[in-house]
Amino acid sequence: MEQGTRAVVDRRPDRAIAAGGMAAAGALVLLGVLAALLPADARRGIWLPVHLGIAGASSVAIAAVLPFFTATLGVARPVRPAARAVGVTLPLVGILAVAVGIAWGPLGLAEAGGACYLAGMAVVAYAALAPLRRSTAPRRVALGLAAAVALVDVGFGALLGTLYAAGAPQVLAEWGLLKPAHAWLNVLGFVGVTIVTTLVHLWPTVVGTRIVPGRAGAGMGVGWGLGPPVVALGFATGSDFIARTGAVVALSGAISLAVYGIARWRARGRWTIDLAWHRTATGHLAAGIAWGATGGAAASVLVLADGASPSAWSSAVLVVIAVGWVAQTLVGAWTHLLPTIGPGGPVLHAAQRSVLGRLTAPRLVAWQAGTALLAAGAVAEAWWGAASAGPGLVVAGAITAGVAAVASVGLLAVAVTMARR
């Protein structure tokens, strides 16, 4: 259809796929919460909950939303819905196969899942970057660069994990150093770059102020875009110098994240409608920024202190970043985006905002308390072992944060189903 000389782009299929992907990611968050309640041996410590509820959920959410954002912000036509759907489905199937194969076997299932996941991310790369070739928007270069860096990070990070599952001798022999490289690439690189790039636009929109990246926004891009892969390279090569150099860059990114979050908050506008929904989205995103800056700084400081060493990575840092930042930011973003860009009209969106604004304070308090308990438990387990209070703190944290997550995802599920009535 034409309007004057410009084609009107129908983004409804793209929105529907993005919403469906967010719903699938929400289901993975719930699976991660349930996995955390299993015995330690069955969940392989925190491995299964993290790879289902965090790595899986964030991967599927990014696969669903990243191409939507690049096409929308780049003012370009998205790729065909079939490619978008494949790009969401393959990572979802892949992460489930990896989780089951690593946790309970057979390992061949994990290998196949890793290959499926990598194929899905290749499709996501096409879906995210192809529309920008036809874009004339000023931000297209920055969008394309951020998406490319994130997808390269996850490509190498997932490849390391797949080779580990396949039993590659060299990877197994060096896994003490390749494991933190894998975590830096996937969590701080892939997810971190995607989140901070999104926050440059999303955070000001949520708090009602101008989108002005400034020096802090540029610092986030450089810090999160360059720091994690350089740190990972340092671990992979066993170079203290390279790892510490990357950690300095990553630390600047963590500091820039905190500065940007505070600066946009101080310049916020006054919200007058749907206050409960607005406070829910704002609270989750603000807390997520705080945990993200804290976790990124802690991860960087560990590398600065110990260099390219297995001791330079802590499961407590992973918990802070994964539960406090990644999962909470996903929920905050879903809460804001579903009743604004999701399927439906103004009446439906107003009803969805009413649902999503329920139990704001209890959910926020429980989430922060649960994250703190999980981090404390991870530290106790690492330092004093299973005989310490660590396992109890982990279970208490998982239940506390899990209740908040289940409530939040449940309300999101109700909001999604309202669009189908």
Side-chain angles (χ1 to χ4, degrees), residues 155-171:
F156 281 105
L159 179 60
L160 285 176
T162 302
L163 291 173
Y164 173 79
Q170 188 170 357
V171 172

Side-chain angles (χ1 to χ4, degrees), residues 89-107:
T89 302
L90 289 181
L92 173 62
V93 173
I95 200 67
L96 288 172
V98 168
V100 173
I102 292 291
W104 304 304
L107 286 178

Side-chain angles (χ1 to χ4, degrees), residues 312-359:
W313 177 255
S314 168
S315 57
V317 171
L318 180 60
V319 166
V320 166
I321 293 174
V323 180
W325 186 30
V326 177
Q328 192 162 201
T329 299
L330 287 175
V331 168
W334 296 338
T335 300
H336 178 78
L337 294 173
L338 181 63
T340 53
I341 68 170
V347 175
L348 171 62
H349 288 167
Q352 289 175 323
R353 288 193 290 269
S354 177
V355 169
L356 294 173
R358 296 174 183 171
L359 302 172

Side-chain angles (χ1 to χ4, degrees), residues 44-68:
R44 294 176 61 91
I46 64 170
W47 187 93
L48 186 60
V50 165
H51 280 75
L52 281 175
I54 306 302
S58 58
S59 294
V60 172
I62 291 170
V65 174
L66 180 61
F68 174 81

Side-chain angles (χ1 to χ4, degrees), residues 163-213:
L163 291 173
Y164 173 79
Q170 188 170 357
V171 172
L172 292 178
E174 300 294 334
W175 190 242
L177 290 177
L178 292 179
K179 178 181 177 180
H182 168 75
W184 269 90
L185 287 169
N186 284 344
V187 180
L188 288 97
F190 170 53
V191 180
V193 170
T194 305
I195 288 180
V196 298
T197 303
T198 304
L199 285 174
V200 168
H201 300 88
L202 181 62
W203 180 236
T205 302
V206 170
V207 297
T209 187
R210 295 174 59 198
I211 300 174
V212 183

Side-chain angles (χ1 to χ4, degrees), residues 177-324:
L177 290 177
L178 292 179
K179 178 181 177 180
H182 168 75
W184 269 90
L185 287 169
N186 284 344
V187 180
L188 288 97
F190 170 53
V191 180
V193 170
T194 305
I195 288 180
V196 298
T197 303
T198 304
L199 285 174
V200 168
H201 300 88
L202 181 62
W203 180 236
T205 302
V206 170
V207 297
T209 187
R210 295 174 59 198
I211 300 174
V212 183
R215 292 181 180 177
M220 287 195 300
V222 172
W224 292 92
L226 293 182
V230 174
V231 171
L233 178 62
F235 277 112
T237 59
S239 170
D240 290 341
F241 175 76
I242 295 175
R244 287 187 170 117
T245 299
V248 171
V249 179
L251 180 59
S252 72
I255 294 171
S256 296
L257 173 61
V259 171
Y260 184 78
I262 293 170
R264 293 298 86 205
W265 171 258
R266 293 179 64 183
R268 68 190 183 280
R270 182 178 180 182
W271 209 275
T272 57
I273 59 172
D274 298 314
L275 290 179
W277 162 76
H278 173 67
R279 288 166 182 160
T280 302
T282 303
H284 280 301
L285 289 175
I289 289 171
W291 284 115
T294 301
S300 302
V301 168
L302 284 175
V303 176
L304 289 173
D306 293 346
S309 165
S311 62
W313 177 255
S314 168
S315 57
V317 171
L318 180 60
V319 166
V320 166
I321 293 174
V323 180

